[in-house]
Amino acid sequence: MSFSAKTFSTAGDTFTQEQEAAFFASIRLRNGTFKTTDHHRLDDLNTLVIGEWQKLDRKPREIMDVGVSSGISSLEWADALTRAGIDAEILATDLCLRGSLVRLLPRYEVLLDRDGKVIQHILGNRPVRWSFDGPRDFFRGAGFLIAALNAFASTLLLLTNRRRGGKDVLLVNPDARDYARLSFAEDDVLKPNPEHLRGRFDAIRVANLLNRGYFDEAQLRRAVDNLKDRLRGAGSFLIVNRTLADGSNNGTMFQLSEANKFEIVARMRDGSEIEDIVLPPDAEDRNCERQAEGGRSQRQVVTSSKFVAR
């Protein structure tokens, strides 16, 4: 069952995990991605990262978590850090964290993103998506409803200028929203860095965002350069991870060297698919590194000491 932004904005913490997941999975952003969420999906990655920091005797104070969707994984990371004695402030960011709930007609509302584009229609309290799911939508009749609502909403918004003045809806987990050491901001890692983010963070995590299914190589390089610019400098960390369909996490923990180049501190299973983009051009070939690991299983969690990118 899907839930509308109207229900979400009034339900507070009465949503179950299943209801929360269903709501966020129903929100498709204009760039084609969904605000999918799942509790405890990054627990093993948290354990890996915290373990490495403990071995290195590091306690980051300012952390950025990029592409956080509902924010639940940020909350779980903050809890894990606190239990480990690391009292960090986390800035959790995503392309769309806020929506505006606008009433167009009695029993008809729309949820708009920051650009004023519809990301959910609401008829009564029934959510209707704005995007099409292929030709089968029209065979089932849903496609005609979606097309009609999209055209109707665009016309009404243009004629009434109601993109302004809607009800603000923070599209994050209610518990995460109220957590003292967690703050939220909208962010686009492909755009030039705002001055207040440059050189600020001891560590940045990017989970389920920087992958080749979402971006081409030029965009990935731009995003990595921007994130590097946000780090405090030598000794700071970049964590890049992707959760596969089977639920397994595959990520790499990098650290900036005194030469301002990334080095690999540790890998989770296969590591990040964009290691070749993050590492400097003169880094050792990844395949050679894996051969040196002595034929470890691809599913093994690697927490060994640094693989230095020379």
Side-chain angles (χ1 to χ4, degrees):
M1 178 182 292
S2 296
F3 295 86
S4 72
K6 183 178 179 180
T7 300
F8 179 77
S9 67
T10 58
D13 56 5
T14 61
F15 255 35
T16 66
Q17 289 187 16
E18 293 76 15
Q19 290 172 329
E20 177 189 324
F23 167 69
F24 283 111
S26 73
I27 301 296
R28 186 176 189 177
L29 305 181
R30 284 287 170 165
N31 64 0
T33 62
F34 290 87
K35 288 187 70 68
T36 52
T37 186
D38 198 7
H39 290 241
H40 302 294
R41 65 176 175 173
L42 299 180
D43 283 357
D44 55 353
L45 180 66
N46 293 341
T47 299
L48 170 69
V49 171
I50 291 171
E52 290 299 323
W53 283 340
Q54 289 173 332
K55 286 192 288 184
L56 296 169
D57 194 26
R58 301 297 300 272
K59 291 187 176 183
R61 295 299 180 187
E62 281 205 82
I63 294 174
M64 171 174 271
D65 200 9
V66 178
V68 301
S69 190
S70 75
I72 186 59
S73 295
S74 302
L75 173 61
E76 291 166 350
W77 195 20
D79 281 339
L81 290 167
T82 299
R83 291 195 301 270
I86 301 174
D87 297 322
E89 301 284 339
I90 298 179
L91 176 62
T93 71
D94 202 272
L95 185 64
C96 180
L97 285 173
R98 294 185 179 276
S100 179
L101 195 58
V102 176
R103 184 172 182 261
L104 294 178
L105 291 173
R107 297 184 59 79
Y108 176 45
E109 295 167 284
V110 289
L111 180 68
L112 307 179
D113 65 12
R114 62 181 179 180
D115 296 321
K117 302 293 186 181
V118 175
I119 54 176
Q120 188 180 75
H121 299 279
I122 304 168
L123 295 176
N125 202 26
R126 174 194 170 195
V128 179
R129 51 192 163 86
W130 64 269
S131 59
F132 298 101
D133 191 19
R136 62 182 178 179
D137 269 346
F138 291 92
F139 291 127
R140 296 181 301 193
F144 298 102
L145 174 63
I146 294 169
L149 286 175
N150 286 343
F152 188 51
S154 296
T155 301
L156 282 178
L157 288 167
L158 181 63
L159 293 176
T160 61
N161 196 28
R162 290 192 182 179
R163 285 187 170 88
R164 301 177 183 271
K167 179 183 177 182
D168 186 58
V169 180
L170 185 59
L171 300 172
V172 301
N173 172 276
D175 292 329
R177 181 179 57 212
D178 299 332
Y179 195 84
R181 292 188 177 274
L182 200 54
S183 58
F184 293 90
E186 292 189 329
D187 177 38
D188 186 344
V189 295
L190 296 181
K191 292 185 177 179
N193 281 332
E195 193 61 34
H196 70 279
L197 296 181
R198 300 186 65 194
R200 174 176 166 182
F201 299 99
D202 302 303
I204 297 175
R205 181 176 74 176
V206 193
N208 298 308
L209 178 65
L210 297 186
N211 62 69
R212 299 179 189 275
Y214 284 164
F215 303 111
D216 61 33
E217 183 162 331
Q219 291 173 316
L220 289 169
R221 290 190 182 280
R222 189 188 319 154
V224 169
D225 286 343
N226 282 343
L227 294 174
K228 184 178 181 181
D229 183 56
R230 297 178 184 186
L231 290 171
R232 203 179 294 276
S236 49
F237 299 88
L238 175 66
I239 302 119
V240 184
N241 180 76
R242 184 174 186 180
T243 308
L244 301 184
D246 63 1
S248 65
N249 287 307
N250 295 263
T252 304
M253 183 177 182
F254 305 92
Q255 186 176 26
L256 268 181
S257 70
E258 293 291 341
N260 201 37
K261 296 181 179 182
F262 281 114
E263 302 172 345
I264 297 178
V265 176
R267 286 195 183 101
M268 173 71 70
R269 298 183 177 86
D270 283 348
S272 168
E273 66 189 75
I274 65 164
E275 279 186 6
D276 60 320
I277 291 175
V278 177
L279 294 174
D282 58 346
E284 285 185 304
D285 183 82
R286 183 179 177 187
N287 291 330
C288 293
E289 289 182 334
R290 289 190 173 178
Q291 290 175 4
E293 291 171 14
R296 298 176 189 266
S297 168
Q298 289 186 344
R299 295 187 59 84
Q300 183 177 6
V301 177
V302 180
T303 58
S304 56
S305 58
K306 288 184 182 178
F307 298 85
V308 180
R310 297 176 181 75

